[in-house]
Amino acid sequence: MNTISPYQNDLIIRYLCGEAGEEEIVQLSRWLSESPENQKLFEEYRKSWSEIDRKTVDQIDVQKEWERFEKQAWQTQETKTYVNKGWNVSRMLKMAAIFLLLAVPAFFLIRYYIGITRQSFTATREILEKNLPDGTSVLLNTGSTLKYSSFKGTKREVTLTGEAYFQVAHDQAKPFIISSENVRIAVLGTSFYVNTSGKNGKQEVILDKGRVAFYYMDQPDEQVILNPGEKAEIISGKITKSQNEDQNYMAWKTHRFVFENKALSEILKALNKVYHTDIILTNPELANCLVTATFDRQSPEAILNVLKATLDLTIIQSGNSTQISGNGCKN
């Protein structure tokens, strides 16, 4: 009987689980088209395990499965390259889909022995720190979620929703990829901050150490490379790069604030984000009052007392909200 490599096993399983990326789908398609032996191997799997969960196979809609497979594969740039080179991609991918379907029974046994796991972590009420199987450390801000399946292939891929700080373990052979919808962040080993759910859909990366690439999934050749101290963000659909001027981007972790001639409205916005408070300015004239101060692990109440004394404010607690009023200021 022919043998199959652990990598090909992983590709098949990831596809059947719906976890395979676009590049992996194309790689699997190429492997199936390389030789009759590879096709025969799938047939041997089918014959060996045809009695395992036969109902599952009988209930599969072959046409729908093929249409899903074709749609995913045709969306990749690599597949488009095959078309330009004269490959009969449609025939090749259809063959791949058919043989993948034949392998469904084998999937249940293979998955059992290989033990692929799917992990999901959510920071519900407080910051959550997790160490991934490769040694990477992730700090999730409250309300953020991280998902990953396996690091057995050619890359380490995770999906992030929200805000996190990564310290990625170096592995030259396996790039670390962070996915968020159609945006990708690729690194080899570095420390950086990511926010995938900013105001108005804003996404940003701020780099502390190493190098990262920030790009759209379908435009990998137009990636933006960041060096330490730089940030990249998506504004109106475009990725822009600049020096990071925000000294408080990690305040949610450190509870340290540095404000230099910062408008009161911006200060309160930062406090609301970090401490999950609801501080409201009832006098709009106070919004542009400038403050220079540093706060290190002080409570919101202590910070507000300093602001009250500095700007002669009136602070009233109303239910779950804190209302701030005053006579304004002259800057």
Side-chain angles (χ1 to χ4, degrees), residues 132 136-138 140 145-148 151 155-168 175-188 190-196 203-206 212-217:
L132 303 185
T136 291
S137 174
V138 184
L140 292 174
T145 298
L146 183 78
K147 298 178 181 180
Y148 72 93
F151 292 164
K155 60 186 176 183
R156 299 166 287 168
E157 187 167 9
V158 301
T159 300
L160 174 67
T161 302
E163 201 169 13
Y165 187 80
F166 290 83
Q167 290 182 292
V168 178
F176 193 95
I177 309 293
I178 301 172
S179 299
S180 173
E181 297 181 350
N182 63 335
V183 175
R184 298 292 182 269
I185 303 164
V187 303
L188 292 178
T190 186
S191 301
F192 56 98
Y193 160 85
V194 180
N195 186 0
T196 68
Q203 300 192 46
E204 67 178 340
V205 180
I206 300 176
V212 302
F214 194 39
Y215 59 95
Y216 281 110
M217 178 185 69

Side-chain angles (χ1 to χ4, degrees), residues 141-287:
N141 196 6
T142 306
S144 303
T145 298
L146 183 78
K147 298 178 181 180
Y148 72 93
S149 294
S150 170
F151 292 164
K152 293 184 178 182
T154 58
K155 60 186 176 183
R156 299 166 287 168
E157 187 167 9
V158 301
T159 300
L160 174 67
T161 302
E163 201 169 13
Y165 187 80
F166 290 83
Q167 290 182 292
V168 178
H170 182 80
D171 188 343
Q172 186 72 31
K174 287 187 177 183
F176 193 95
I177 309 293
I178 301 172
S179 299
S180 173
E181 297 181 350
N182 63 335
V183 175
R184 298 292 182 269
I185 303 164
V187 303
L188 292 178
T190 186
S191 301
F192 56 98
Y193 160 85
V194 180
N195 186 0
T196 68
S197 55
K199 187 176 181 181
N200 298 323
K202 178 181 177 181
Q203 300 192 46
E204 67 178 340
V205 180
I206 300 176
L207 181 64
D208 280 347
K209 300 177 182 178
R211 282 163 61 90
V212 302
F214 194 39
Y215 59 95
Y216 281 110
M217 178 185 69
D218 57 351
Q219 299 173 358
D221 295 333
E222 299 180 16
Q223 57 186 231
V224 173
I225 306 297
L226 295 184
N227 293 309
E230 294 180 333
K231 75 173 181 179
E233 55 188 336
I234 297 178
I235 301 176
S236 299
K238 294 184 179 180
I239 299 177
T240 63
K241 182 173 76 168
S242 63
Q243 287 296 125
N244 175 44
E245 303 295 339
D246 183 5
Q247 299 183 69
N248 302 311
Y249 72 97
M250 287 300 296
W252 57 273
K253 172 180 178 289
T254 64
H255 287 191
R256 174 180 170 81
F257 300 91
V258 178
F259 301 120
E260 297 180 2
N261 288 324
K262 185 67 69 173
L264 179 60
S265 60
E266 292 298 313
I267 293 174
L268 299 184
K269 179 180 177 181
L271 294 180
N272 283 334
K273 175 184 175 182
V274 171
Y275 292 108
H276 307 289
T277 51
D278 185 22
I279 306 172
I280 303 170
L281 282 177
T282 58
N283 182 359
E285 293 183 4
L286 293 170

Side-chain angles (χ1 to χ4, degrees), residues 42-43 45-46 57 97-106:
F42 277 103
E43 180 64 18
Y45 270 110
R46 186 191 67 80
V57 179
I98 292 171
F99 279 100
L100 284 172
L101 288 170
L102 293 177
V104 167

Side-chain angles (χ1 to χ4, degrees), residues 3 37 81 87 96 105 136 148 180 198 218 251 254 270 285 315-316 320:
T3 59
E37 286 74 19
T81 303
W87 283 60
T136 291
Y148 72 93
S180 173
D218 57 351
T254 64
E285 293 183 4
I315 300 177
I316 300 175
N320 295 324

Side-chain angles (χ1 to χ4, degrees), residues 125-138:
R125 297 183 179 179
E126 58 185 19
I127 294 172
L128 178 65
E129 184 172 7
K130 282 292 180 180
N131 292 318
L132 303 185
D134 66 332
T136 291
S137 174
V138 184

